[in-house]
Amino acid sequence: MVFTKRLREGVRSGEITCSVRIWTRPHVIVGNRYRMEEGEIEIDSIQPIGLPDITPQLARASGILDLLKVAKHGPGNNIYLIRFHYIPPALRKTPRPRPKSVSQ
């Protein structure tokens, strides 16, 4: 899943935890992780919804008040509510020094 630049900080901070997408079929799988810049998002759920389900509260939760203008990705007509959580990049561990071999 790709997010516009203005939404990425909200996803990283945990403020945005859902997205509404209009697709022909789901393009993500529950439990899978998808790269987002330096971290990942993990899909928690995918739920088909209808236009009446898109409330101002849902638009705010997804970070997009003009939701229907940007939710359509391709020729689809099915509306999906995708819930996810952000996983920050793992802290890189420094490699342990290898013991020096002792020559006999």
Side-chain angles (χ1 to χ4, degrees), residues 83-99:
R83 295 201 182 274
F84 57 85
H85 62 276
Y86 178 72
I87 300 171
L91 296 175
R92 194 169 198 187
K93 295 181 181 179
T94 55
R96 293 183 0 205
R98 293 184 175 195

Side-chain angles (χ1 to χ4, degrees), residues 1-21 36 40-42 44 57-65 67 81-87:
M1 286 180 44
V2 177
F3 296 93
T4 62
K5 285 185 180 185
R6 68 185 174 98
L7 296 179
R8 292 177 191 162
E9 183 54 40
V11 171
R12 282 192 297 268
S13 72
E15 183 180 319
I16 297 173
T17 58
C18 68
S19 181
V20 172
R21 300 294 169 117
M36 191 193 101
E40 297 174 317
I41 60 165
E42 184 172 327
D44 297 321
Q57 294 84 4
L58 180 58
R60 277 192 297 278
S62 66
I64 304 176
L65 292 176
L67 186 62
L81 173 60
I82 313 249
R83 295 201 182 274
F84 57 85
H85 62 276
Y86 178 72
I87 300 171

Side-chain angles (χ1 to χ4, degrees), residues 43-80:
I43 306 301
D44 297 321
S45 68
I46 302 170
Q47 177 184 1
I49 62 172
L51 281 176
D53 297 317
I54 301 176
T55 62
Q57 294 84 4
L58 180 58
R60 277 192 297 278
S62 66
I64 304 176
L65 292 176
D66 53 346
L67 186 62
L68 291 177
K69 293 178 186 175
V70 296
K72 191 163 178 71
H73 295 87
N77 292 319
N78 301 318
I79 305 169
Y80 297 96

